[in-house]
Amino acid sequence: MKKIIYSVLMMFMVAMTFTSCADVPMPYDDPNQAAIDEEGSAVEPAGLGTIDDPYNVAAANALIESGEAPGTNVYVKGKIVSIREIDTASFGNASFYISDDGNSKNQLLVYRSMSLGKKPFKSEDEIKDGDEVIICGVLVNYNGTYEFTQGCYIYSLNGETSGGGGATGEAKGSGTLDDPYNPAGAAAAVKDLTWTDKDNYETTGNVYVKGKISRIAEKGTFTEGGSYGNASFYISDDGTENGEFYCFRILYLGNKKFEAGKTDIKVGDEVIICGQLMNYRGNTPETDAGKAYLYSLNGETDGGGSQGGGESDGTATGSGTLADPYNSVAINNIAKALGSNEKSADYYFKGKVVSIAVDRNGVSQNYNAGYGNASFYISDDGTEKGQFYVYRALYFENKDYTSGDTLKVGDEVVLYGKVTNYNGKTPESAQKEAYLYSLNGKTSSSGGSGGGEGGGTSTSTVSKATDGATLTFTDSGLTASSSKVTVTFSEQGFTDQQEVKSLTLSDGTTITFSAEDSQTSPKYFNSGEALRLYARNSMTITGKDKGIAKVVLTCQSYSGTNYVGNEDASATSSDKSMKITNTWGKGSGGTQMRIQKMEITYAQ
């Protein structure tokens, strides 16, 4: 990459030389003239764009010129040449130019940057010409101007850092109620989450984060102008502004709205937050708006927000995946945090049947003959404590029920689908958008009713082996045959960045792709010629006549990273299918799966 950047820059400089008249000197402040080092030579491109080895300005400009700017955050080091604007009144940002030598040569525009620590500018004296800075953000060519686009920030100012847009210090905790993340642990848990736009981004499952309120965001509390019943504030380990994590639009105790006069918060309060975390714009770790709440405030709790039975909940557990379904408390919390009639992503959730719902005429909704669905309540222990309403859910394989008396009180169920907050008052599963995945440990591929004992096979976990950029899943319960098929994704006719939902092979095998509980769906990219499974995405391979004994994935290897997925990536086998999930590692990190080729071996 350095050689490419350097060659591009040299061609650019040569072009400028040939277009200048020999007897007319280059203007001193020409922004395209190369910066000069202490020995009088042109500054060469240098750096890797990382926090430990930032690009210099020459490298950043050459990267933009080449069209190879990655579209993700990079770090660039330079000196401020001139300040165009510092806005302390409205947006708290600044626009200024940097170069390698602090003079107006080969300069780069830093557009609407936040100040040190990703905080708003509050004074015009915070930066000055000649200051040495490291900027973090996205490089673009905007109508011929090479710049850091809006949303960048000053990571370092004359050697001083202040958080860099995320909590610093030692990451601690595992994100459970018994062992919450500290602010640095929460930031580490989301650092690899992807952001495409406001409608397409990844989040964690429900986790817990503990800290002390260090400052309240502008209009962050209900009494300071908030009108949506939430609050925005920062937390740190010790209540100072060092190592902060942003809690954005948090609900109150019990996952309820803040109310004027009796639900205020203040700096110094010790809190535990429960909810989903995200990496806003790829550079700001924070809670997902409206998807998190105060679990405790100075030691006070209020039941965690479970509804449906009305009583205190217990503890929210699970991550919403097949391997780790949400319990009734967690799925209640997710539904309650939604806006009125808003629907969630698809999740797995589990519980024991508490009771079967009845309609206004007293008729059991174990089976609704008119609609082919069932309505019932589930909880962790089969009591009304913390119960969740499963409303008009479908049967196995997302098909209609065909007879009654399928469910009974005490049955253990796993469901899959969307939940909603009906009219903003009732958390429940979305009508006919959730279905029965398992009943007392059994699944079914027949699609018919069966009182919980019919038709299916239990889902089994398969073994995984990683060798560099190759990932192999093997079902030890099946005997492999010599029958194989290879899928090369670059040969499937996909367009660049196409969202991929399904693929049918010539032998009748089908492959379906799902976002699962992520808001980012699987996509094919020409870059790397790979199908990307983001964190928590899955793909299910179903043979036409035989089961799947083994799947070998050849993944992209790029810049020292083998894109084989998160370390908890796993697969399960059921009937004729194998489902591979890039399971989120609960803070352990990992990567996308960038699958270039897939070899499927069928069972005998």
Side-chain angles (χ1 to χ4, degrees):
M1 176 62 75
K2 285 187 177 181
K3 290 183 179 179
I4 294 173
I5 293 172
Y6 179 69
S7 63
V8 170
L9 181 61
M10 291 300 101
M11 287 189 291
F12 184 63
M13 291 173 59
V14 169
M16 290 302 301
T17 301
F18 279 115
T19 55
S20 300
C21 296
D23 58 349
V24 178
M26 183 76 72
Y28 175 77
D29 61 352
D30 188 334
N32 293 319
Q33 184 177 356
I36 305 300
D37 63 18
E38 294 179 355
E39 298 178 355
S41 302
V43 176
E44 296 184 2
L48 298 175
T50 65
I51 193 172
D52 297 320
D53 188 16
Y55 291 132
N56 62 1
V57 177
N61 279 334
L63 195 63
I64 298 171
E65 173 73 16
S66 69
E68 295 293 327
T72 56
N73 279 352
V74 297
Y75 293 83
V76 177
K77 185 176 182 178
K79 292 183 178 180
I80 296 179
V81 177
S82 61
I83 298 171
R84 193 164 86 176
E85 178 187 24
I86 298 179
D87 175 10
T88 60
S90 300
F91 301 104
N93 56 40
S95 297
F96 51 93
Y97 295 89
I98 62 173
S99 71
D100 286 315
D101 57 5
N103 294 317
S104 300
K105 303 185 182 79
N106 200 32
Q107 58 192 359
L108 175 69
L109 174 62
V110 181
Y111 183 63
R112 291 188 176 177
S113 169
M114 300 300 287
S115 188
L116 192 66
K118 210 172 191 301
K119 298 175 183 177
F121 278 84
K122 295 183 179 180
S123 167
E124 294 186 357
D125 299 325
E126 291 183 40
I127 56 174
K128 63 183 183 300
D129 291 358
D131 281 343
E132 185 175 78
V133 293
I134 297 176
I135 307 297
C136 178
V138 178
L139 297 172
V140 298
N141 182 347
Y142 182 73
N143 292 335
T145 299
Y146 297 177
E147 65 179 51
F148 270 110
T149 192
Q150 182 174 348
C152 59
Y153 63 92
I154 300 175
Y155 171 75
S156 170
L157 176 61
N158 296 321
E160 177 188 351
T161 62
S162 181
T168 57
E170 181 183 358
K172 298 179 181 179
S174 58
T176 65
L177 179 58
D178 295 329
D179 185 29
Y181 289 130
N182 70 342
V190 303
K191 66 182 179 65
D192 292 325
L193 296 183
T194 61
W195 164 278
T196 303
D197 54 46
K198 65 182 181 63
D199 298 315
N200 297 280
Y201 57 90
E202 293 181 322
T203 63
T204 65
N206 275 3
V207 296
Y208 293 85
V209 184
K210 183 177 182 179
K212 290 184 178 180
I213 296 178
S214 54
R215 56 190 172 114
I216 309 293
E218 183 181 2
K219 297 183 179 180
T221 64
F222 187 90
T223 55
E224 289 182 341
S227 58
Y228 298 100
N230 55 46
S232 297
F233 52 89
Y234 296 83
I235 62 173
S236 66
D237 284 328
D238 57 6
T240 69
E241 293 186 16
N242 181 39
E244 295 179 316
F245 182 82
Y246 190 25
C247 300
F248 182 57
R249 294 185 180 175
I250 297 290
L251 296 174
Y252 195 62
L253 293 173
N255 209 6
K256 302 171 184 176
K257 290 185 176 182
F258 278 72
E259 297 179 18
K262 63 178 182 179
T263 57
D264 294 337
I265 53 175
K266 63 184 183 301
V267 171
D269 283 344
E270 185 173 80
V271 298
I272 296 177
I273 306 299
C274 177
Q276 300 179 45
L277 313 181
M278 64 183 294
N279 195 8
Y280 180 68
R281 292 189 179 274
N283 59 27
T284 306
E286 62 183 48
T287 58
D288 196 1
K291 304 292 180 65
Y293 66 96
L294 282 172
Y295 175 81
S296 75
L297 175 61
N298 297 321
E300 176 189 351
T301 63
D302 186 20
S306 184
Q307 289 186 2
E311 299 299 324
S312 180
D313 60 315
T315 301
T317 62
S319 58
T321 64
L322 177 58
D324 186 29
Y326 287 128
N327 69 346
S328 63
V329 178
I331 201 66
N332 249 316
N333 292 343
I334 288 172
K336 283 192 65 179
L338 298 172
S340 181
N341 298 319
E342 178 186 359
K343 295 176 184 177
S344 72
D346 290 318
Y347 299 114
Y348 289 91
F349 52 100
K350 66 179 181 179
K352 292 184 178 180
V353 176
V354 177
S355 60
I356 308 298
V358 295
D359 66 13
R360 66 184 66 183
N361 298 314
V363 177
S364 170
Q365 297 302 291
N366 191 314
Y367 165 62
N368 186 312
Y371 298 99
N373 53 48
S375 299
F376 50 95
Y377 294 87
I378 62 171
S379 71
D380 284 353
D381 57 6
T383 71
E384 292 186 357
K385 179 181 177 180
Q387 67 183 5
F388 178 74
Y389 187 26
V390 180
Y391 180 64
R392 292 188 175 177
L394 297 174
Y395 195 57
F396 289 123
E397 298 184 338
N398 210 16
K399 297 179 180 178
D400 285 352
Y401 282 73
T402 57
S403 67
D405 299 325
T406 301
L407 300 169
K408 62 183 183 299
V409 172
D411 281 341
E412 293 188 355
V413 296
V414 176
L415 296 114
Y416 178 72
K418 303 181 190 301
V419 298
T420 187
N421 192 0
Y422 181 66
N423 286 342
K425 299 178 180 179
T426 307
E428 61 185 43
S429 64
Q431 176 177 291
K432 300 195 77 169
E433 293 191 63
Y435 67 91
L436 187 68
Y437 176 80
S438 74
L439 175 60
N440 296 321
K442 301 291 184 179
T443 62
S444 174
S445 59
S446 65
S449 302
E453 301 297 330
T457 59
S458 296
T459 300
S460 60
T461 302
V462 301
S463 63
K464 179 183 71 172
T466 306
D467 182 11
T470 302
L471 194 61
T472 301
F473 293 98
T474 305
D475 185 345
S476 58
L478 296 175
T479 302
S481 69
S482 59
S483 178
K484 300 180 181 180
V485 64
T486 299
V487 181
T488 303
F489 285 102
S490 63
E491 299 175 354
Q492 303 308 311
F494 299 134
T495 58
D496 188 32
Q497 301 188 39
Q498 176 182 336
E499 181 178 331
V500 181
K501 296 183 178 180
S502 64
L503 182 64
T504 301
L505 307 184
S506 58
D507 65 354
T509 294
T510 60
I511 308 172
T512 57
F513 302 89
S514 173
E516 297 290 352
D517 63 339
S518 171
Q519 295 193 32
T520 304
S521 300
K523 294 180 181 178
Y524 173 80
F525 281 75
N526 286 338
S527 174
E529 298 184 331
L531 187 289
R532 296 187 186 183
L533 290 187
Y534 297 97
R536 302 186 303 283
N537 285 183
S538 71
M539 66 176 178
T540 301
I541 307 160
T542 304
K544 181 178 180 181
D545 302 310
K546 298 179 180 179
I548 310 299
K550 184 169 72 173
V551 174
V552 180
L553 306 177
T554 301
C555 300
Q556 181 184 7
S557 181
Y558 177 73
S559 295
T561 298
N562 295 320
Y563 284 90
V564 295
N566 290 291
E567 59 189 57
D568 289 348
S570 60
T572 56
S573 181
S574 178
D575 195 21
K576 299 174 185 175
S577 298
M578 182 181 289
K579 181 177 182 179
I580 297 172
T581 305
N582 193 10
T583 311
W584 178 241
K586 298 180 182 177
S588 60
T591 70
Q592 307 159 5
M593 281 186 185
R594 295 185 180 180
I595 308 165
Q596 296 175 318
K597 185 171 67 175
M598 176 167 55
E599 181 185 79
I600 303 167
T601 300
Y602 299 103
Q604 290 185 353

